[in-house]
Amino acid sequence: MSMTKEKLNLTGWLSIANAFFAIPSIGMSWFLESMGGSGAKLSQIILTVVGVGLFLYIITSLKKLLNGRFNFYDVNIYILLLIWGNIVLAALSLISIGSKRLEGGMGALSIAAVVFFGILSILFATRLLRLPGTLYGLLKPYCYITIGSGVCLITVFLFPIGVIAGAVTDVILGVIFFRAAEEPPSPDEIFKTPIG
């Protein structure tokens, strides 16, 4: 299904917003965790839900763009796994916020999930490099920085650098969506779009 110019522009802005949201969000989560109290917990829950919501919208839009405009389906399984990996990470985070008794166990599971998410990011970016064309001139920068972010997540102690690299990939992705919005859809894309 084709994405409209408006949806592509919206996704571009949301991707850039996500880049600027990610880094302070992690810092705020750590700060709120140290504070305790129901207000701090509610704020952590809101940050987690907003972060997951942004990620899900952006990654599913990327899938639609790759499938609809480029007829490229090789990363669909990785996108699906990234979606589920992000949902699992968010669920673990929410469980640890809700229960102090489970916090230690959830911390270990969260580390394992971050490592898994890093591996998925590397596999996704490596496969995306097979895309014919340049993805509006940004395929290699997007993929290489995504791979670097995944490596940082796998090492765990470089997690903060991985988050920063992830924010950079969000900005690049935003520019990709803006460029896609400026380019008219191909005839193949037009004919695949349902009428009505």
Side-chain angles (χ1 to χ4, degrees), residues 23-37 40-41 43-44 47:
I23 296 168
S25 167
I26 290 172
M28 282 184 67
S29 285
W30 289 338
F31 172 72
L32 291 168
E33 190 175 314
S34 68
M35 283 180 57
K41 285 183 180 183
S43 297
Q44 283 181 283
L47 286 172

Side-chain angles (χ1 to χ4, degrees), residues 2-179:
S2 176
M3 292 182 69
T4 64
K5 181 175 182 173
E6 292 76 20
K7 284 186 180 179
L8 287 165
N9 278 320
L10 172 65
T11 307
W13 285 116
L14 289 175
S15 189
I16 288 174
N18 193 43
F20 289 104
F21 176 77
I23 296 168
S25 167
I26 290 172
M28 282 184 67
S29 285
W30 289 338
F31 172 72
L32 291 168
E33 190 175 314
S34 68
M35 283 180 57
S38 59
K41 285 183 180 183
L42 180 61
S43 297
Q44 283 181 283
I45 290 168
I46 291 169
L47 286 172
T48 301
V49 170
V50 169
V52 170
L54 283 170
F55 174 80
L56 293 178
Y57 186 84
I58 293 163
I59 198 77
T60 55
S61 295
L62 177 61
K63 179 178 175 265
K64 288 177 186 175
L65 179 67
L66 293 171
N67 293 173
R69 188 152 297 181
F70 297 98
N71 290 322
F72 188 74
Y73 302 90
D74 290 3
V75 293
N76 285 3
I77 186 66
Y78 296 111
I79 289 174
L80 181 64
L81 291 171
L82 284 168
I83 287 169
W84 281 107
N86 216 292
I87 290 171
V88 167
L89 273 175
L92 292 173
S93 176
L94 292 173
I95 290 169
S96 69
I97 290 169
S99 172
K100 288 294 178 191
R101 288 183 297 175
L102 298 174
E103 193 171 4
M106 289 300 123
L109 282 173
S110 292
I111 290 171
V114 166
V115 170
F116 180 69
F117 193 73
I119 293 168
L120 280 178
S121 296
I122 293 168
L123 293 172
F124 162 75
T126 304
R127 182 63 60 95
L128 185 58
L129 282 168
R130 297 180 184 177
L131 177 75
T134 65
L135 196 59
Y136 309 104
L138 294 169
L139 178 66
K140 287 183 179 179
Y142 176 74
C143 290
Y144 292 149
I145 296 171
T146 300
I147 290 168
S149 175
V151 169
C152 290
L153 294 178
I154 289 171
T155 62
V156 180
F157 67 91
L158 293 175
F159 178 80
I161 296 170
V163 171
I164 293 168
V168 172
T169 61
D170 283 338
V171 171
I172 294 170
L173 197 52
V175 174
I176 289 169
F177 283 114
F178 291 141
R179 289 183 181 177

